Amino acid sequence: SSISVDAKTSEGREVTRRLAARADILLANMRPGAAERMGVGSDALKELNPDIIETHVTAFGWNGPYAHRAGVDPLAQAWTGMQRAQGGHGNPPVFLGGLAPTDYTAGALGALGGVMALLARERTGTAQRVNTNLLNAAILLSSDAFLRYDGKPARRLADKGQYGLGTLHRLYETSEGWLYLVAENDEDWPALCRALDRDDLAGDARFASTQTRHANDAILADTLSELFRGRSRDEWVEALTRAGVPCAPVVREYGQSFYSDPQA
């Protein structure tokens, strides 16, 4: 069950305090200071319920110059380079649509932290406070970009056409529909050639290794694009799957196609 309370009223604040007095976790998805104005700040909670776990999800953290700024998911995307990475090589940045990746991930981090705090309270008797934010979530999602070590390869970005990360890790248009192909390792390459009925490609010196395929990326992309246009998406997905090549159909009406899929 759930209850909606207007904590801006004195009556609502009293209801909020009564709920907090017997709750295990207080989850706040607000700017720092908002819980205090509702009568359930940290000091008040110590008196009401010393065993309660506070879990806070903010935009930019609890401290620092941006802590009290209004913040939503696209701002965290912009700040941490996610929109630039989504744009791909040579392209302007791209907004990640209605997916709200930092929103969802920050919520998951808050839930995980709250559950961990419950376990810690059960084992140690200590009620902890959990803090996370949208920037933390974006760093987790882009964790490779926030690591530094000798010999680190450049961050992989989509190609200029935004089809994918490379010739063997990208979208292809067929005679009817699109599919996504992932066949980058040396085991998948000969299997892909068999599925395409082009064993001659596997023996072609230009495509004999990961390095040579990368060096001849444009030629290979043109070759595969032409081949995939020769049959429909469903025919290719069946042939590729039979050969053990990772792939998936790009569904157009996912609300219908996905839910009617036997795996879903």
Side-chain angles (χ1 to χ4, degrees), residues 33 35 37 49 51 117 129 170 209 237:
R37 293 190 295 273
N49 185 353
D51 293 327
R129 175 187 173 113
R170 57 161 280 184
S209 68
V237 168

Side-chain angles (χ1 to χ4, degrees), residues 175-190:
S175 64
E176 184 180 348
W178 292 73
L179 61 83
Y180 200 98
L181 171 75
V182 181
E184 291 188 301
N185 65 43
D186 289 333
E187 292 75 26
D188 290 332
W189 170 242

